Amino acid sequence: MSEDPIKYTVIKKRRVLNSLGGQMVLLMSGILLIAMITNAYLQFRDEVFTMEQVLNVRAQSLGQVLASVSIESLVEYDVQKLNKNIEAVTSQSQVVHAVILDTRGNSLTTFLDLNDIYIQNTLNNLNNVDSAAIVNELDKIPELVTYKVPVMSDGTMLAQAVVVLDNSEYVAASAEKFEEKVLSTLFIGLFVGMGIYFVFSRHILAPIQALSEGANKIANSEFGHEIQVKGDTELSDLSANFNQMSENIELLIADRDAALKDLEDLNKELEKRVQDRTIELQALNTEIARQAMHDPLTELPNRTLLVERLRQNIYLAKRNEKQVAFLMLDLNNFKEVNDTLGHPQGDRLLLDVASRLPTALRQSDTVGRLGGDEFGIVLPEADGRQAIEVAKKVLASLEPSFELDEQVVSIGASIGIALYPEHGEDDASLIRHADIAMYDAKKNKGEPCLYDPEADHYTTARLALMTDLRHAVENDELQLYYQPQVELSTRKVLTVEALSRWDHPEHGNISPGEFILLAESSDLIRSISDWVLEKTISQIAKWQAQGADIVVSLNLSARDLLNPSLSDTIKSLCEKHDVSPSLLKIEVTESVIMSNPEKVIDVLEDPILSQVNYAIDDFGTGYSSLSYLKKLPINEVKIDKSFVLDMIGNAEDTSIVRSVIELAHNLGYTVVAEGVETEQTLTQLELLGCNVVQGFYFSPAVEADALLDVIKTIERDSA
Ligand code: C2E
Ligand code: MG
Ligand code: MG
């Protein structure tokens, strides 16, 4: 949280002199007082001036009166009368001294007001009582007015009349009045000041104070205090505006606070989103990193990670002078399962396979998916023997059939093994060599194969051979040979097996065991099978034309059997050559059937295909499920030649052959044994109850043209 930006203010308590009102009152009272006192003073001065004027006039007139009334008395020299005159004058107010001086300056009669302070002072100052001197002294005092009038008679000055008037009493009275005025003015000033202060503070200061307090509250973010100013003045307008302003500020602040709150919420929300997004991104990054290194379907390490592990193990082995084994595993007939059951089921199967593989491995081993139906396994510190053992375990783990949706599927695998450092010093050559060995394993009917450097040339030529094969198929360069099958009970040849031959212009005879495997890895097998069907059916027709009804047994791959157009192809060829489908026998291997038994059952229910005979080829090498075999329209089983060839002197093989024969008979099948090379074997098979034999003992596969003669010879020799 940021710091509170509001600064709080406080209202000062002011002394009156510091307050606006106090200063205002002081100023106004001061001006008023000065004006009033000045006015009073000017009035007072005017009064004094007027009194002086009046005094002068009175002095003049009294002097002249005294002079005029004294003429007669002087002429007559009537002192009494003169005194009377003096008395009459001096009885007038303000007259403090009156005297008639003769021409020599002696007083003829005189009057002195001894109560007057000036008279007293003058007399005290003068040592003598000379009237002229007194008059001169009094004349010098500014507070007194001295007036001298000559008393004339017929042009002759008889004497001088002097009158002295004192104005001080009047002036004192006037000064007193002035003082009273000043005092009353002060009082008035005080009252007026107080009044002004009262009015001012009530109507101006109080609202200002209230406004100030209001402003202070707003400054301190306290709202809702309305300022009440009575009346209809500028201040009431101001307070109304102030209240409005306060309300607006409150609203603005509320808006601002709400906006800030929203902003804060938004910030929090944003922060949360950023946090969530970061977590998501982290998870995503981890997932991306994981995905980059793992196969999305099986979640096993992908090729990149597997190769990396292999590389690491090679480094370790190099340092510790140990071995590393790399196993390449490829599922047999996976393509067929995928094509017939659909990709989702294919994926499901891969997933199940992927979950079984690790069960046969140690934790330190790495299994990963190289792509398609290929898996790779890295075995640290393993030699050839250990690697083969592990490979067998892996194969055993795949033996139990896989339960897909409403389908039970068996799938075998081929494993090729390459060892570090024997077969390669780096990952690339180990992988390549394991691949070659894996191809050998495919030919080896399921047995894991160690890489054989001697056989390597074959693989390097594989691609070139594929091109040649395609060319051979297109140019009709393949041949079909036929090997007779002899019925032991009659020593008759009723059936022959059609076997493909390829005479390569450079490499000479290439065994079908090799080129068929090659063709099965691509769509080329379909062309070959179509060619075999065409050749076979047309050949049956030819033999029929020569009077021989020979059943021809032909080998079809899993893909052919599950090819939806198989029925149509056979139908049209049979019609074309006027051959019954019942003269055809199709040999399929156990693995083909077991890879997708339900589908095979379905296919064989087809009206055309159901007329054809079927044999299970290479019986005993796969993992047949009897429950399925029973459901199939199969006529015979062919015991694989690997058991037959070594039968003599090999109790194990003999017992396998015996069991197969018994089992097949129990299921109602005819038993054909292939690979019969010797009479001993033949006799043994006869003893075991075998029905039909095929082998070099009677004849290898021969060209069509030679077959009828070969059959004749066989039948003649065995008769
Ligand atoms: P297969 O169907 O089991 O054929 C029998 C194989 O045993 C043939 O090998 C045959 O020549 C050989 N054989 C027969 N008697 C003896 C014997 O007494 N001793 C020995 N050692 N071998 C004997 P071939 O012709 O090399 O064919 C190998 C495999 O190639 C066949 O095994 C079959 O699975 C496949 N194949 C041959 N021609 C075709 C074809 O046209 N189409 C398909 N899909 N597969 C074919
Ligand atoms: Mg066969
Ligand atoms: Mg066979």
Side-chain angles (χ1 to χ4, degrees):
M1 271 299 287
S2 62
E3 250 179 58
D4 191 349
I6 297 172
K7 293 199 168 51
Y8 292 90
T9 61
V10 283
I11 294 184
K12 282 188 204 161
K13 288 256 174 221
R14 297 188 174 280
R15 298 219 313 268
V16 175
L17 280 182
N18 282 341
S19 88
L20 198 60
Q23 287 173 358
M24 184 89 170
V25 168
L26 217 64
L27 181 73
M28 287 182 72
S29 307
I31 291 170
L32 195 71
L33 280 175
I34 288 168
M36 287 177 81
I37 290 169
T38 307
N39 186 42
Y41 174 72
L42 289 176
Q43 228 178 327
F44 164 72
R45 220 183 55 178
D46 280 356
E47 253 175 47
V48 170
F49 180 73
T50 310
M51 278 194 296
E52 276 172 5
Q53 297 293 99
V54 170
L55 205 67
N56 279 332
V57 172
R58 279 192 70 205
Q60 259 177 28
S61 60
L62 281 174
Q64 275 163 5
V65 168
L66 184 61
S68 62
V69 294
S70 297
I71 297 170
E72 202 185 299
S73 312
L74 283 170
V75 173
E76 290 173 2
Y77 206 74
D78 185 351
V79 177
Q80 259 185 331
K81 211 177 173 183
L82 215 54
N83 278 334
K84 275 189 182 167
N85 290 343
I86 286 290
E87 269 174 43
V89 170
T90 56
S91 65
Q92 296 294 312
S93 62
Q94 294 177 294
V95 181
V96 291
H97 182 47
V99 67
I100 304 284
L101 298 174
D102 63 16
T103 49
R104 280 172 296 180
N106 296 317
S107 82
L108 300 178
T109 181
T110 186
F111 170 74
L112 280 170
D113 183 357
L114 294 174
N115 290 325
D116 190 82
I117 187 79
Y118 301 106
I119 301 293
Q120 285 172 14
N121 288 347
T122 308
L123 291 179
N124 287 342
N125 289 344
L126 293 175
N127 294 328
N128 56 19
V129 283
D130 179 41
S131 289
I134 290 172
V135 170
N136 278 340
E137 274 306 304
L138 290 177
D139 202 13
K140 286 180 197 164
I141 296 171
E143 283 82 7
L144 303 179
V145 175
T146 304
Y147 194 72
K148 299 172 190 163
V149 189
V151 185
M152 302 292 283
S153 178
D154 299 331
T156 312
M157 193 178 95
L158 301 177
Q160 196 176 27
V162 179
V163 180
V164 178
L165 273 78
D166 181 358
N167 212 11
S168 62
E169 242 176 67
Y170 279 71
V171 171
S174 195
E176 208 172 303
K177 236 164 85 188
F178 171 69
E179 271 169 25
E180 278 170 9
K181 261 189 187 167
V182 168
L183 216 60
S184 63
T185 302
L186 279 176
F187 274 112
I188 290 168
L190 194 66
F191 277 111
V192 168
M194 278 165 65
I196 291 172
Y197 184 77
F198 177 74
V199 172
F200 191 80
S201 69
R202 191 179 159 82
H203 294 283
I204 295 171
L205 277 187
I208 288 175
Q209 179 77 8
L211 284 167
S212 170
E213 278 172 12
N216 183 54
K217 281 191 171 133
I218 291 174
N220 292 338
S221 299
E222 290 173 38
F223 295 98
H225 301 276
E226 201 179 326
I227 292 164
Q228 302 270 13
V229 174
K230 286 177 189 158
D232 184 15
T233 62
E234 287 85 346
L235 279 172
S236 63
D237 288 351
L238 178 62
S239 69
N241 290 339
F242 183 89
N243 288 336
Q244 188 59 53
M245 181 190 75
S246 161
E247 225 171 86
N248 290 347
I249 290 175
E250 189 179 4
L251 288 175
L252 281 174
I253 286 179
D255 283 355
R256 186 204 65 179
D257 287 351
L260 281 175
K261 175 89 177 50
D262 287 353
L263 201 67
E264 201 178 314
D265 289 352
L266 274 175
N267 267 337
K268 274 186 194 158
E269 175 68 18
L270 199 70
E271 250 171 54
K272 199 181 163 315
R273 280 198 200 170
V274 167
Q275 219 170 28
D276 289 353
R277 194 83 191 112
T278 309
I279 292 169
E280 265 174 40
L281 280 176
Q282 277 169 348
L284 214 65
N285 278 338
T286 316
E287 180 57 20
I288 286 169
R290 205 193 63 77
Q291 276 179 13
M293 289 293 172
H294 288 80
D295 169 48
L297 175 68
T298 61
E299 308 233 311
L300 289 179
N302 61 10
R303 180 179 274 271
T304 317
L305 183 55
L306 192 70
V307 170
E308 184 54 39
R309 293 270 167 86
L310 177 59
R311 211 173 286 158
Q312 277 172 7
N313 277 290
I314 291 173
Y315 291 147
L316 274 176
K318 203 176 272 181
R319 208 171 58 192
N320 303 330
E321 297 186 353
K322 291 268 168 49
Q323 286 185 299
V324 178
F326 182 71
L327 279 59
M328 170 103 68
L329 179 149
D330 184 274
L331 299 177
N332 298 335
N333 301 319
F334 175 74
K335 272 200 176 70
E336 287 71 35
V337 176
N338 214 27
D339 287 353
T340 53
L341 294 183
H343 290 279
Q345 292 298 299
D347 284 354
R348 172 75 198 281
L349 180 61
L350 285 174
L351 210 63
D352 287 356
V353 167
S355 69
R356 283 195 199 176
L357 294 179
T359 61
L361 302 172
R362 289 175 304 179
Q363 272 203 322
S364 53
D365 302 336
T366 304
V367 58
R369 186 174 171 209
L370 291 166
D373 59 344
E374 272 186 358
F375 295 84
I377 298 167
V378 180
L379 306 178
E381 298 185 13
D383 57 21
R385 194 184 50 77
Q386 290 166 325
I388 286 178
E389 247 173 54
V390 173
K392 281 184 176 165
K393 263 205 229 166
V394 167
L395 290 177
S397 78
L398 299 180
E399 262 174 38
S401 38
F402 292 87
E403 285 193 24
L404 306 183
D405 289 346
E406 298 170 9
Q407 292 280 354
V408 178
V409 166
S410 288
I411 197 143
S414 308
I415 298 180
I417 304 163
L419 302 170
Y420 168 86
E422 204 179 320
H423 302 144
E425 300 249 328
D426 58 59
D427 53 282
S429 53
L430 281 184
I431 292 171
R432 199 173 63 246
H433 292 157
D435 190 22
I436 291 164
M438 197 258 300
Y439 193 75
D440 285 341
K442 277 220 184 282
K443 289 190 284 178
N444 211 6
K445 300 248 175 332
E447 284 297 309
C449 271
L450 264 182
Y451 170 67
D452 176 8
E454 303 283 303
D456 198 2
H457 70 275
Y458 179 86
T459 312
T460 48
R462 218 163 89 186
L463 277 176
L465 209 63
M466 186 77 135
T467 316
D468 291 349
L469 180 60
R470 195 178 298 278
H471 190 261
V473 174
E474 279 163 10
N475 295 298
D476 205 10
E477 280 171 24
L478 296 183
Q479 286 171 303
L480 209 56
Y481 276 50
Y482 301 89
Q483 187 177 32
Q485 293 179 350
V486 182
E487 193 181 51
L488 287 177
S489 59
T490 60
R491 303 282 163 157
K492 291 259 176 233
V493 175
L494 305 174
T495 308
V496 295
E497 181 176 6
L499 295 160
S500 300
R501 297 286 175 262
W502 181 21
D503 190 11
H504 192 278
E506 277 173 50
H507 306 299
N509 275 337
I510 295 175
S511 140
E514 282 181 26
F515 73 80
I516 291 295
L517 207 61
L518 200 63
E520 277 177 343
S521 66
S522 77
D523 274 346
L524 201 56
I525 191 66
R526 291 211 175 145
S527 314
I528 291 178
S529 299
D530 284 350
W531 173 83
V532 169
L533 279 168
E534 162 77 50
K535 274 272 160 193
T536 306
I537 293 170
S538 66
Q539 189 57 54
I540 292 171
K542 278 183 200 160
W543 284 324
Q544 268 187 327
Q546 293 171 40
D549 275 351
I550 299 174
V551 175
V552 180
S553 190
L554 47 90
N555 298 280
L556 285 188
S557 296
R559 283 195 182 195
D560 303 318
L561 196 67
L562 302 172
N563 179 1
S565 62
L566 178 66
S567 162
D568 290 344
T569 310
I570 291 176
K571 189 176 179 231
S572 63
L573 284 172
C574 284
E575 281 171 3
K576 182 179 163 193
H577 296 288
D578 194 21
V579 166
S580 161
S582 63
L583 289 177
L584 281 180
K585 188 182 283 183
I586 291 175
E587 295 186 11
V588 285
T589 58
E590 277 179 291
S591 59
V592 170
I593 296 166
M594 292 319 296
S595 72
N596 196 349
E598 303 282 350
K599 179 76 181 177
V600 172
I601 292 168
D602 256 19
V603 168
L604 299 187
E605 275 171 3
D606 173 271
I608 297 296
L609 295 182
S610 63
Q611 294 175 49
V612 177
N613 306 292
Y614 294 95
I616 300 175
D617 206 354
D618 304 344
F619 193 81
T621 57
Y623 321 104
S624 302
S625 155
L626 282 178
S627 58
Y628 279 116
L629 287 184
K630 273 199 277 184
K631 288 186 193 167
L632 290 166
I634 284 167
N635 314 95
E636 65 180 42
V637 294
K638 294 183 78 180
I639 304 176
D640 191 63
K641 64 175 184 279
S642 58
F643 304 112
V644 179
L645 284 172
D646 295 338
M647 232 175 86
I648 304 305
N650 185 329
E652 203 183 322
D653 280 358
T654 309
S655 79
I656 291 174
V657 172
R658 182 187 291 121
S659 327
V660 170
I661 290 170
E662 277 174 17
L663 180 77
H665 283 167
N666 284 339
L667 291 169
Y669 300 147
T670 304
V671 178
V672 180
E674 56 180 29
V676 179
E677 292 184 351
T678 63
E679 199 173 352
Q680 263 181 305
T681 313
L682 181 69
T683 316
Q684 181 82 29
L685 286 167
E686 256 185 321
L687 283 172
L688 291 175
C690 181
N691 307 103
V692 179
V693 293
Q694 176 184 349
F696 296 165
Y697 177 73
F698 289 108
S699 167
V702 296
E703 281 181 78
D705 291 348
L707 185 79
L708 292 184
D709 286 343
V710 168
I711 291 174
K712 261 185 211 152
T713 313
I714 291 170
E715 289 180 348
R716 191 191 57 218
D717 291 352
S718 349

